[in-house]
Amino acid sequence: MGQSAEQLHEVSESFEFKAEVQQLLNILVHSLYTNREIFLRELISNASDALHRLQFEMLTNRDIVDPDAELAIRIDFDTEAGTLTVSDTGIGMTREELIENLGTIAHSGAMEFVKQLQEGDQSAAEIIGQFGVGFYSVFMVADEVTVTTRSFRPEAQAVMWTSRGENQYTIRLADKTSRGTVVELKLKEDAREFLDAFRIEQIVRRYSDFVPFPIYVRGKEANRRSAPWRQRPQDLTEEQYKEFYRQLTLDTADPLLYVHFSADAPVHIQSILYVPSKAERGLLTARSEHGPRLYSRKILIQERASDLLPAYLRFVEGVVDSDDIPLNISRETVQANQVMARIRSNLVRKLLSELKRLADEEPERYIQFWQEFGPFIKEGVAIDAAHHEMLVPLLRFRSSKTGGNEWISLARYKERMKKGQKAIYYVLGEDMNSIARSPHMDYFRAHDIEVLYLTEPIDSFLMMALQEYDGVPLRNIADASLDLPEVKKEETEEAETLSAEAFERLRKRFAEVLGERVVEVRESKILRDSPCRLVTPENTPGAGLQRVFRMLERDYEVPRMIMELNKAHPLIRDLGRLAMEAPDDPLIAQCAEQLYEGQLLAEGLHPDPADMVPRIEALMAAAAHARVNEASRTNDEGRGTGGES
Ligand code: ADP
Ligand code: MG
């Protein structure tokens, strides 16, 4: 007893949405009223994806339903019934695909999106598509949604999905014989504004003008669907570049920079690449893929071709089209393709030289770029040896002379080096403030020598790759073996210093107290205003790298360093005298500990600064106690003298 088609239609099955989708729907249905028109953009984007995917299938697959149907999107409405339909002749969905895509699979994006909305960011609604849940935006405007779809696979059956945006949806078989998908919306009473051809055409042009398939609104083509990257730069206006960027990325801000170029040899490329104005656009948290869209002869091969650019250029958006990419390439083998490597090196060189041009011709805008994307360029210097020469001139730095006002290039540093200065000096630290106070700076401050300030985690990797610039070595001023430019004699002679014997006693005492924690304790040749500093012994990873390990919490161990003492500093002088008079005074040990840990803190290496609190309190107690004794002694003496007279 087989079931007839009619009976089958009556069989409908109900499914529950996953909890996070239910939560998402609840918000979409009940509390989002701004910018609801974007539901149309999302439907068109899905239809366009479905058409792209069909085009791709057609390259390799002969067995396709309706092979001659026009690849197009149609929007129609029925004012009386209050319905709006968006249909396409795309790839369609089988029953399983339908359930998986619009229903039961867990959407991590749904959760992420709900979180942003709940944090009060209503504007997140606008970029719902970036979270991979764009389809559900239809429930902002519809009471009920029906998706009827027929897969391109000949053996598949048409199916229908219906939901009122509550907790469940139903699936049943459908009659549709032609390939593709029809989404029908029963519009809410307050969404009847979308039953208007003019309004719809306007929305299509605003969000979907560059969709490469015709979009017919009641039979009339509403989009321009030009592929701007295939046009000549002189035929496009500034505004069109920006518009294309908006449609491509959903970024509401203008891009900082665009590069439009074409090449025929060694490979054919037509491309528009964009640098966004901000590194963080909520996008990175929403979707992790990056890379430009890759087309071959206007057919979309890859939505995010991450192999087209090196990882450090992952902030770049855009489109790359190449006739040299074989059309029958499968998405998986795109990576391994020879042509891709050529395209990639072309794109990198083009982008980097465009950035150089910006740096030379529009320094202020370049600094804007640098402040957003500087760490990416540094990453490039650290890992991309092939483009070293192009990347280094793009670097910018803060220094002891720029403060927070200016950024300088290595070229600029070199230009203003002191006479006889043989190295470019830099210091690594946690932030500008702690660096400016760093004891390593004593000497350079006193002699007015510029020092580059490096405060980003990537900087120690950058410096390992950099080593020298234009024949001048780069030197870390916290290196134990640093050679300094000549010191003028008179300056060091003025200061009152400690006897050699007293200093030696103190040094030994410090070494005993700190034990294994330091490599050695020694006299400093360069300190002036600070009592001590920690320097990195040769052939060990520097403090900068250690700081990175600490941040990553990766098996962090406090590195063993060399402690240098400043003989001329009042604290060290007094401690030296104390070491002579009362060698066992516990104050010496407490000071040794505190000076050491204080420097660890200044270097960003202290694993747990709160540990220092009890000791600081003990030191203050000792100081207060001594002060009170001294005061009462003076007073007693005063009284004593007074009594005698
Ligand atoms: P995204 O488009 O980011 O994947 P959506 O929520 O917009 O997320 O759509 C979910 C999925 O539903 C799509 O990935 C696609 O597989 C499927 N889908 C939606 N609309 C269509 C359509 N018109 N034709 C074919 N598949 C579709
Ligand atoms: Mg979508």
Side-chain angles (χ1 to χ4, degrees):
M1 293 237 300
Q3 284 172 303
S4 75
E6 254 151 59
Q7 280 172 308
L8 268 177
H9 286 183
E10 299 311 312
V11 180
S12 78
E13 244 186 296
S14 293
F15 298 83
E16 289 262 306
F17 286 116
K18 280 268 145 80
E20 61 268 26
V21 174
Q22 289 186 21
Q23 209 184 350
L24 168 68
L25 288 173
N26 193 32
I27 295 180
L28 288 171
V29 171
H30 299 293
S31 50
L32 282 178
Y33 299 104
T34 56
N35 221 10
R36 296 191 297 176
E37 67 191 26
I38 58 114
F39 80 93
L40 200 56
R41 175 190 69 195
E42 295 303 327
L43 290 179
I44 291 171
S45 142
N46 286 348
S48 164
D49 286 351
L51 289 161
H52 271 307
R53 288 168 59 201
L54 181 85
Q55 244 182 351
F56 197 82
E57 276 307 323
M58 287 175 98
L59 298 172
T60 49
N61 199 332
R62 277 161 211 288
D63 233 2
I64 283 179
V65 173
D66 290 348
D68 300 322
E70 183 190 12
L71 300 181
I73 300 167
R74 288 169 203 281
I75 304 176
D76 286 288
F77 56 85
D78 179 335
T79 320
E80 223 158 275
T83 55
L84 178 78
T85 57
V86 177
S87 42
D88 64 69
T89 48
I91 198 160
M93 285 177 270
T94 63
R95 183 173 184 280
E96 288 67 39
E97 287 166 342
L98 188 55
I99 293 174
E100 182 167 315
N101 295 336
L102 299 185
T104 50
I105 60 155
H107 282 296
S108 58
M111 235 152 16
E112 192 59 42
F113 181 65
V114 167
K115 212 174 89 209
Q116 287 223 9
L117 287 176
Q118 282 171 343
E119 280 164 11
D121 189 1
Q122 282 257 334
S123 67
E126 237 176 273
I127 54 165
I128 184 168
Q130 291 184 10
F131 294 86
V133 290
F135 170 78
Y136 298 114
S137 64
V138 289
F139 290 106
M140 292 195 290
V141 295
D143 285 326
E144 183 172 277
V145 178
T146 303
V147 179
T148 310
T149 181
R150 163 110 183 58
S151 165
F152 75 102
R153 296 173 201 280
E155 72 281 5
Q157 271 185 296
V159 274
M160 181 191 279
W161 176 105
T162 310
S163 176
R164 299 183 55 82
E166 286 149 4
N167 297 342
Q168 54 169 19
Y169 63 94
T170 58
I171 299 249
R172 74 190 72 190
L173 290 178
D175 278 334
K176 188 169 169 38
T177 51
S178 58
R179 183 193 70 219
T181 302
V182 181
V183 181
E184 184 183 273
L185 313 186
K186 175 88 187 60
L187 290 176
K188 291 181 182 182
E189 236 357 88
D190 67 4
R192 292 183 65 89
E193 67 193 83
F194 298 109
L195 300 171
D196 172 355
F198 182 72
R199 180 78 207 280
I200 292 173
E201 280 169 29
Q202 216 182 12
I203 301 172
V204 168
R205 262 194 304 276
R206 174 169 315 153
Y207 298 107
S208 315
D209 209 18
F210 300 112
V211 167
F213 306 99
I215 302 171
Y216 298 106
V217 177
R218 288 199 143 175
K220 185 171 144 229
E221 193 172 338
N223 60 329
R224 270 178 299 183
R225 61 176 164 124
S226 53
W229 63 93
R230 289 203 160 239
Q231 288 169 261
R232 296 181 311 169
Q234 57 266 42
D235 295 338
L236 289 164
T237 66
E238 187 82 13
E239 197 39 54
Q240 282 171 313
Y241 282 113
K242 289 181 186 168
E243 188 56 43
F244 180 54
Y245 172 76
R246 271 195 291 275
Q247 296 197 12
L248 193 69
T249 61
L250 301 185
D251 190 356
T252 43
D254 284 342
L256 191 78
L257 183 75
Y258 63 80
V259 196
H260 183 174
F261 71 103
S262 46
D264 281 316
V267 273
H268 170 262
I269 306 178
Q270 284 176 306
S271 170
I272 303 181
L273 297 178
Y274 292 96
V275 174
S277 57
K278 289 267 178 278
E280 289 288 338
R281 285 172 292 142
L283 191 129
L284 295 175
T285 50
R287 280 196 172 179
S288 56
E289 311 106 70
H290 60 88
R293 275 194 200 178
L294 175 63
Y295 289 84
S296 177
R297 298 157 217 250
K298 285 212 238 172
I299 295 179
L300 183 65
I301 305 287
Q302 228 180 1
E303 183 72 37
R304 288 264 181 204
S306 56
D307 298 310
L308 267 184
L309 289 172
Y312 67 89
L313 294 175
R314 59 190 172 276
F315 57 87
V316 173
E317 299 276 1
V319 168
V320 177
D321 193 338
S322 172
D323 290 351
D324 291 338
I325 294 198
L327 273 178
N328 58 2
I329 197 168
S330 86
R331 281 173 205 229
E332 290 69 37
T333 56
V334 163
Q335 301 172 9
N337 193 278
Q338 274 274 337
V339 178
M340 289 286 278
R342 292 221 194 97
I343 296 180
R344 177 176 153 132
S345 92
N346 241 286
L347 296 179
V348 175
R349 271 184 285 125
K350 194 73 201 175
L351 261 169
L352 296 183
S353 55
E354 195 57 27
L355 286 170
K356 181 68 169 55
R357 191 202 55 76
L358 188 71
D360 293 342
E361 290 171 20
E362 298 176 71
E364 276 171 26
R365 264 185 61 216
Y366 183 74
I367 291 309
Q368 258 182 354
F369 164 82
W370 180 257
Q371 288 178 317
E372 288 295 324
F373 301 103
F376 294 86
I377 299 299
K378 290 177 175 179
E379 191 183 320
V381 176
I383 61 178
D384 186 0
H387 297 101
H388 192 82
E389 302 297 312
M390 297 191 80
L391 284 159
V392 170
L394 297 177
L395 293 170
R396 292 294 178 274
F397 298 92
R398 297 285 200 207
S399 80
S400 51
K401 298 213 168 150
T402 66
N405 307 322
E406 190 197 352
W407 290 92
I408 57 163
S409 62
L410 289 171
R412 180 85 186 99
Y413 180 104
K414 195 181 167 203
E415 243 169 55
R416 61 192 197 193
M417 277 183 358
K418 291 250 146 163
K419 230 165 123 195
Q421 187 181 335
K422 293 196 179 62
I424 295 173
Y425 295 105
Y426 66 89
V427 57
L428 294 151
E430 253 180 326
D431 53 63
M432 295 276 286
N433 255 333
S434 62
I435 287 186
R437 278 198 308 265
S438 159
H440 304 304
M441 287 297 299
D442 278 11
Y443 178 90
F444 297 87
R445 221 181 284 121
H447 296 278
D448 192 37
I449 298 171
E450 184 162 27
V451 176
L452 301 177
Y453 286 178
L454 302 177
T455 56
E456 281 163 355
I458 183 87
D459 286 332
S460 33
F461 299 102
L462 170 70
M463 286 304 162
M464 278 192 285
L466 208 47
Q467 302 285 345
E468 63 126 53
Y469 171 75
D470 199 12
V472 187
L474 278 104
R475 299 302 314 267
N476 184 345
I477 63 169
D479 263 356
S481 57
L482 186 69
D483 278 331
L484 288 170
E486 286 296 300
V487 188
K488 281 190 234 116
K489 269 278 161 352
E490 348 85 68
E491 291 177 58
T492 40
E493 275 168 359
E494 295 164 20
E496 182 193 341
T497 59
L498 202 55
S499 78
E501 191 194 352
F503 180 77
E504 183 52 21
R505 280 204 186 187
L506 182 69
R507 193 194 66 75
K508 277 207 173 122
R509 193 76 191 89
F510 266 54
E512 272 166 33
V513 172
L514 298 174
E516 284 296 295
R517 284 175 286 173
V518 294
V519 177
E520 66 166 311
V521 179
R522 71 184 189 192
E523 185 187 337
S524 166
K525 284 180 289 183
I526 77 157
L527 290 176
R528 294 178 57 104
D529 310 320
S530 315
C532 66
R533 66 171 189 160
L534 292 174
V535 296
T536 312
E538 261 176 289
N539 304 322
T540 57
L545 213 50
Q546 302 288 356
R547 194 178 320 114
V548 175
F549 290 156
R550 202 194 107 206
M551 285 190 343
L552 297 174
E553 291 178 351
R554 203 209 293 156
D555 302 330
Y556 175 69
E557 261 179 58
V558 177
R560 289 181 74 217
M561 300 176 72
I562 298 170
M563 187 177 208
E564 289 190 353
L565 299 178
N566 177 4
K567 227 168 144 176
H569 191 277
L571 174 59
I572 301 299
R573 253 174 17 223
D574 283 341
L575 287 173
R577 286 196 198 112
L578 194 58
M580 293 292 280
E581 311 264 334
D584 297 326
D585 193 313
L587 188 71
I588 299 179
Q590 282 175 321
C591 284
E593 297 274 0
Q594 187 54 44
L595 284 169
Y596 169 72
E597 290 197 25
Q599 284 311 304
L600 282 187
L601 182 67
E603 296 283 342
L605 295 174
H606 202 302
D608 193 358
D611 278 355
M612 301 192 307
V613 173
R615 188 186 314 109
I616 294 174
E617 287 168 358
L619 285 166
M620 288 192 293
H625 191 71
R627 201 49 88 73
V628 134
N629 279 350
E630 196 183 320
S632 61
R633 204 182 318 120
T634 328
N635 287 348
D636 282 351
E637 278 166 20
R639 255 179 246 128
T641 352
E644 265 168 44
S645 69

